[in-house]
Amino acid sequence: MLAHQHITPGLGSELASDIQLTSLSDGQISALQQLASERGIVVARDQVMSLQEQADFAHRLGEPLTRPTNPSEIPQELIRIMADENSKHAAGEGWHSDVSSESEPPGLSMLRMEVVPRAGGDTLFANMYAAYESLSPAMQAFVETLSAKHDPIGHYLYVSGAKKLEEVPSAIHPVVRIHPDTGRKALYVNVGFVSRIIGLNRRESHALLQLLYDHVAYSANIQCRVNWQPGTVVFWDNRCVQHFAAFDYFPEKRLGYRATIRGEKPISCAEI
Ligand code: SIN
């Protein structure tokens, strides 16, 4: 229903160049959501969209998380993602799934880029269906039984008006979750938010998490990367991909806005 090309055989699709997101019908929005759940990420180039139009579009995808502390010119549905000559770090510099510490963690995220460096500033994505499927059957069977604690870490300010980390709750989620739209199993632990595996001692938890993080980071065949241009919009489904924002462009500027859509309580393998 939406013309697209694959970025790699297993991960990511890029929409045809004549598609403008703001003109999509409700049926095409559903097709976009389905494509993201199957392919992990969907890239749309040359999009013409104001901040308010992006916020309005986010409501067509579901319930956007809001950031009450935004300055008045930025709608509460968006967070600004910016790094420049004053930045020591950039948001998302490490493999993660957005705000997985929420009890109903995000489904889709939608990042729209306005300013890009002359080179670099790509975002890397990893396919968490493939991460699960490429574990050995014995390891799959073990991790399917486990759950992990996700803590808000530094990202709490993005999604709340809280002043202190302690005000923002943690969540416990299955280590392998079932995607509600595809029925496929996806690995769901990430170095950005997970503090420990429930029921394992500290050393066991640390060793298993490190093994799973290395599996994601070193499995180049389950990854792709997206190069941004002004007007590029990328949707990623946090239920089945992780991402990593490369910060290789200092001291140049990169500026975009992200909408983050509430998902559902993750479904464990025991529930099917
Ligand atoms: C993020 O949402 O983690 C940032 C991604 C990026 O800037 O590419």
Side-chain angles (χ1 to χ4, degrees):
M1 201 165 171
L2 281 175
H4 63 274
Q5 285 195 325
H6 290 177
I7 296 174
T8 74
L11 180 61
S13 291
E14 181 158 333
L15 297 182
S17 59
D18 60 346
I19 294 177
Q20 276 298 316
L21 296 168
T22 50
S23 304
L24 295 186
S25 65
D26 289 348
Q28 287 171 317
I29 296 276
S30 301
L32 173 70
Q33 290 166 313
Q34 185 63 27
L35 188 61
S37 66
E38 287 165 7
R39 301 286 307 159
I41 66 171
V42 178
V43 178
R45 302 286 184 187
D46 301 320
Q47 299 299 307
V48 181
M49 204 181 274
S50 66
L51 288 174
Q52 191 55 51
E53 284 170 333
Q54 184 179 359
D56 294 344
F57 191 89
H59 283 279
R60 299 188 70 194
L61 298 172
E63 179 199 347
L65 302 187
T66 55
R67 190 181 193 204
T69 53
N70 271 354
S72 58
E73 68 275 14
I74 303 178
Q76 292 196 359
E77 294 89 342
L78 304 183
I79 60 168
R80 194 171 70 138
I81 304 278
M82 209 270 281
D84 62 12
E85 76 276 11
N86 299 312
S87 305
K88 292 197 167 49
H89 297 284
E93 242 189 296
W95 287 108
H96 66 287
S97 174
D98 286 331
V99 213
S100 64
S101 53
E102 291 278 292
S103 58
E104 294 177 330
L108 284 191
S109 292
M110 170 194 188
L111 179 58
R112 183 180 60 85
M113 207 55 74
E114 290 194 352
V115 179
V116 297
R118 277 173 297 177
D122 292 357
T123 306
L124 287 71
F125 294 91
N127 180 339
M128 291 300 109
Y129 295 135
Y132 167 79
E133 287 158 10
S134 54
L135 294 170
S136 66
M139 183 59 81
Q140 288 178 348
F142 178 48
V143 294
E144 277 185 17
T145 65
L146 300 173
S147 53
K149 183 158 181 276
H150 297 236
D151 289 330
I153 314 182
H155 295 64
Y156 67 106
L157 280 177
Y158 286 169
V159 292
S160 72
K163 297 278 183 294
K164 292 188 188 143
L165 201 55
E166 300 76 54
E167 294 172 27
V168 185
S170 297
I172 292 177
H173 297 309
V175 169
V176 179
R177 67 182 293 183
I178 312 287
H179 195 294
D181 299 332
T182 63
R184 291 178 69 186
K185 294 176 182 176
L187 189 63
Y188 195 63
V189 283
N190 71 88
V191 71
F193 289 93
V194 170
S195 55
R196 65 189 168 89
I197 305 271
I198 305 296
L200 300 188
N201 68 35
R202 206 159 61 94
R203 184 179 295 179
E204 292 166 341
S205 168
H206 177 78
L208 179 59
L209 286 172
Q210 198 55 54
L211 180 152
L212 296 172
Y213 298 155
D214 287 349
H215 175 58
V216 172
Y218 292 128
S219 295
N221 290 346
I222 68 169
Q223 299 172 11
C224 72
R225 58 193 295 159
V226 171
N227 176 255
W228 298 87
Q229 297 300 325
T232 300
V233 173
V234 179
F235 302 88
W236 60 85
D237 189 330
N238 290 286
R239 296 169 285 205
C240 59
V241 296
Q242 289 186 25
H243 59 286
F244 183 125
F247 184 39
D248 53 2
Y249 50 90
F250 179 85
E252 293 200 27
K253 182 172 173 178
R254 180 177 182 270
L255 168 68
Y257 294 89
R258 192 185 86 196
T260 316
I261 311 302
R262 188 178 300 287
E264 58 291 305
K265 191 172 164 334
I267 304 166
S268 72
C269 298
E271 293 173 82
I272 51 165

